[in-house]
Amino acid sequence: MANWLHLWPSVVSGLIVVFVCLTGTIIVYSDEIIEASAGSAKYITPNAEKS
């Protein structure tokens, strides 16, 4: 009985820790992730003039 009592809270808290670590990693490396995934698509060239 005691094993089940400690198992489920530790699984839930472990999932929370993994979620926080993954989202923190994405936030810290967001510039590098965007640069690697977008390539030259993130740069636009403006039109000369609109008529």
Side-chain angles (χ1 to χ4, degrees):
M1 177 75 178
N3 290 338
W4 290 102
L5 182 65
H6 290 100
L7 175 69
W8 291 109
S10 62
V11 167
V12 171
S13 59
L15 289 174
I16 292 171
V17 169
V18 168
F19 178 75
V20 169
C21 291
L22 288 177
T23 56
T25 302
I26 291 171
I27 290 171
V28 168
Y29 293 109
S30 62
D31 291 337
E32 288 84 1
I33 292 170
I34 291 171
E35 184 176 325
S37 63
S40 63
K42 66 181 178 181
Y43 301 108
I44 61 168
T45 55
N47 292 337
E49 286 192 27
K50 290 186 178 183
S51 39

